Amino acid sequence: MALHVPKAPGFASMLKEGARAYSGLEEAVYRNINACKEFASSVRSAYGPNGMNKMIINHIEKQFVTSDAGTIMRELDVEHPAAKLMIQASQMQEAEVGDGTNFVVVFCGALLEVAEELLRLGVTTSDITEGYEKALDKALEILPKLVCHEVKDYRNQELVKEAIRASIMSKQLGNEDFITDLITQACASILPEKTTFNVDNIRVCKILGSGLHTSEVIHGMVFKRFVEGEITSAKEAKIALYSCPVDIIQTETKGTVLIKSADELKSFSKGEENLLETQIKAIADTGAKVIVAGGKFGDMALHYMNKYGLMAVRLNSKFDLRRLSKAVNGTVLPRLTPPSTEELGYCDNVFVNELGDTSVCIFRSEGSDSRIATIVIRGSTDNYMDDIERAIDDGVNTFKGLTRDGRFLAGAGAVEIELARQLAEYADTLPGLDQYAVRKFAVALEAFPKALAENSGVNATEIVNKLYLAHKEGKLNEGFDIDAEQPSTIDVTSTKIYDLFQTKYWGLKYAVGAACTILKVDQIIMAKRAGGPKPRAGGANSDDES
């Protein structure tokens, strides 16, 4: 008979065999803080224009080379529950604003780092979180007073370029002017008169070869595929869209045909062919010049389409089909029936082109009422083009943000230092223990100019001192000069380095919310999973959509 080993008394005795529980400052709180500090320091080196890239190989062996914190966090399978809270806050920032993911993680990590110092001095977590919340309220009160630039007319391309240039510069230093031009052209071309701007209407098509500066904006849609039939171009084309295959229609019920002679077989197949020809002729008679289908084109159908001069385009993705229907203002039909006048789409020019060694099918709208614009990116490697796409995504989201709220703050660490200076003064007016937390909140804000300086190879302490000196003299827009060889500051309104007000506003909220949640945890209870860890859906080698 095996010797019975009794469980340790306390909470662990109630849990399954193998479950773990950590409690108290040393075990739970410091453990959480250390995990978050480690994670924040790994993405902090990717912050700013001179931030370093990370190479990530995910669970399906796909490689990413990027400094975009959103992508880094999406592709890493972080297991630690406290670090996951930071990532969730950052993902909320991505959903709300579309930019500033690194800001949330770096600031949350800095808040937890300074909180650890206070905890070791004996300040309680409730005092720290209370102080952080007070500091956040004060910061959000100060923030509107620091607005240094506003875009009132977002249809003015020159004003928009100035505003979104900095968000591109932080990802693609050196190429910011060219990429900003592309984004501004694309966004301005599809800006609706009344409804809100939709980020999904700016598409990106990546084609290997040539260089970034041969990239262009096309009003309409671009697909990396060749046409199915012999017709390769159509001007002023009416377009019929189908979600079904263009082929001999299968009957909905199974039936058996008894054929007794060769003549009967001939007449049966001829009947099928005539039916298909009648259908395609009926589509051609509506005035359609292009048929776009979500399914395959049969050989016989292609023969009749060539006969009636119809161009055949197949799209494998139902989402692409849906977007194209929106771009050409047509209706996707589920069955091979002739479309009515209202169901037909229209496009000025549909043609096949060759970019590098890639064949593309282009649906171009020449008029000003284009609903979708595509930015065609050229580059030497897939990873490089993916990074350009992320920069474009941030730029488009900044444009969307300024259509809602056109206020901008000074970038390059200027706003953070001014907030830190004013919060340090505010801390002196507080009577309780929470004043220490407010003062540490101000210290945590210094993480941003420090990160910019360290990533640029400049002495961070010297930069922070110079920034404080300039801000005490009333130069509120003084930020870190990234182009200077020596540590120096510059008025960022002269270099047009602006940060969207909404990015900072929500970034501060989410970072403080995550930090306070992590600090309020005093016990970690990890119940053992029944039957061990569950395998991934589709197995380890399943090809996820990245």
Side-chain angles (χ1 to χ4, degrees), residues 220-533:
M221 293 198 75
V222 179
F223 300 103
K224 282 202 283 186
R225 54 186 310 111
F226 201 72
V227 291
E228 302 290 310
E230 290 173 7
I231 316 293
T232 56
S233 68
K235 289 199 173 178
E236 296 179 3
K238 288 181 179 174
I239 301 167
L241 301 121
Y242 296 99
S243 55
C244 60
V246 179
D247 202 354
I248 293 165
I249 297 173
Q250 302 289 324
T251 53
E252 287 180 14
T253 54
K254 285 188 178 180
T256 307
V257 180
L258 187 61
I259 293 169
K260 295 179 177 174
S261 67
D263 289 337
E264 283 181 10
L265 180 61
K266 270 185 180 178
S267 60
F268 176 75
S269 57
K270 202 165 190 177
E272 276 195 324
E273 287 169 19
N274 289 342
L275 180 64
L276 185 60
E277 183 175 6
T278 308
Q279 286 172 327
I280 287 170
K281 185 176 184 301
I283 294 168
D285 289 344
T286 62
K289 290 185 181 177
V290 181
I291 294 181
V292 180
K296 70 182 183 73
F297 286 85
D299 291 339
M300 186 59 67
L302 283 175
H303 164 70
Y304 289 124
M305 287 179 71
N306 292 335
K307 178 180 174 182
Y308 291 106
L310 291 169
M311 185 174 173
V313 181
R314 181 184 175 186
L315 299 180
N316 290 334
S317 163
K318 65 178 179 184
F319 300 107
D320 278 345
L321 190 63
R322 207 176 293 164
R323 287 188 192 105
L324 181 62
S325 74
K326 187 178 180 182
V328 300
N329 198 20
T331 306
V332 180
L333 302 173
R335 292 174 65 86
L336 198 62
T337 53
S340 66
T341 315
E342 292 78 27
E343 289 166 339
L344 279 168
Y346 175 82
C347 190
D348 292 311
N349 203 355
V350 184
F351 60 99
V352 172
N353 199 358
E354 200 166 283
L355 297 172
D357 61 350
T358 309
S359 295
V360 291
C361 184
I362 300 172
F363 288 77
R364 191 197 288 275
S365 298
E366 308 292 351
S368 58
D369 59 342
S370 173
R371 295 173 174 219
I372 289 184
T374 302
I375 300 174
V376 178
I377 302 173
R378 306 300 307 280
S380 53
T381 66
D382 285 322
N383 276 315
Y384 176 68
M385 290 192 295
D386 288 343
D387 223 23
I388 299 290
E389 183 183 8
R390 290 179 201 113
I392 287 172
D393 187 50
D394 284 348
V396 172
N397 276 299
T398 304
F399 181 84
K400 179 190 174 186
L402 76 88
T403 60
R404 292 175 174 179
D405 183 350
R407 292 178 293 170
F408 284 83
L409 301 162
V415 108
E416 287 86 353
I417 287 292
E418 185 56 30
L419 279 175
R421 188 184 69 79
Q422 293 196 33
L423 286 171
E425 289 173 6
Y426 169 64
D428 296 336
T429 65
L430 297 172
L433 280 173
D434 49 9
Q435 65 173 287
Y436 297 107
V438 175
R439 200 167 281 116
K440 287 294 185 186
F441 189 100
V443 171
L445 281 163
E446 294 171 10
F448 297 102
K450 278 182 179 173
L452 288 172
E454 284 165 7
N455 293 345
S456 304
V458 175
N459 186 321
T461 313
E462 196 177 334
I463 278 295
V464 170
N465 291 341
K466 285 192 173 188
L467 285 170
Y468 271 124
L469 187 65
H471 282 255
K472 273 179 184 163
E473 291 168 2
K475 298 174 183 173
L476 302 187
N477 298 327
E478 203 74 10
F480 167 51
D481 185 3
I482 208 159
D483 295 321
E485 291 183 11
Q486 297 299 321
S488 66
T489 64
I490 192 169
D491 185 345
V492 293
T493 52
S494 63
T495 53
K496 306 280 192 296
I497 298 171
Y498 302 122
D499 286 341
L500 193 65
F501 178 85
Q502 291 289 314
T503 305
K504 286 279 187 283
Y505 179 87
W506 288 107
L508 288 168
K509 271 195 163 188
Y510 289 135
V512 174
C516 289
T517 306
I518 291 163
L519 286 171
K520 284 175 185 170
V521 171
D522 76 328
Q523 273 196 323
I524 308 168
I525 303 152
M526 289 194 264
K528 190 185 177 197
R529 282 186 195 167

Side-chain angles (χ1 to χ4, degrees), residues 9-84:
F11 194 80
S13 64
M14 302 177 214
L15 300 174
K16 271 187 184 174
E17 198 73 48
R20 288 172 291 167
Y22 307 98
S23 64
L25 276 178
E26 290 295 334
E27 273 198 321
V29 181
Y30 291 145
R31 199 183 269 253
N32 283 346
I33 289 173
N34 284 332
C36 294
K37 271 165 53 182
E38 288 294 321
F39 185 73
S41 67
S42 69
V43 292
R44 181 175 156 160
S45 61
Y47 184 73
N50 292 329
M52 303 295 280
N53 283 346
K54 311 286 177 211
M55 184 181 283
I56 298 152
I57 293 123
N58 70 2
H59 63 281
I60 54 165
E61 300 294 315
K62 186 171 180 184
Q63 182 179 301
F64 296 83
V65 179
T66 181
S67 62
D68 180 55
T71 307
I72 294 167
M73 287 181 279
R74 201 163 41 247
E75 297 308 326
L76 288 175
D77 285 337
V78 175
E79 283 296 320
H80 198 283
K84 272 186 181 175

Side-chain angles (χ1 to χ4, degrees), residues 146-160:
L146 302 180
V147 171
C148 66
H149 182 68
E150 190 165 358
V151 177
K152 289 192 171 81
D153 179 15
Y154 52 79
R155 293 178 191 279
N156 185 326
Q157 291 195 28
E158 290 308 312
L159 291 176
V160 168

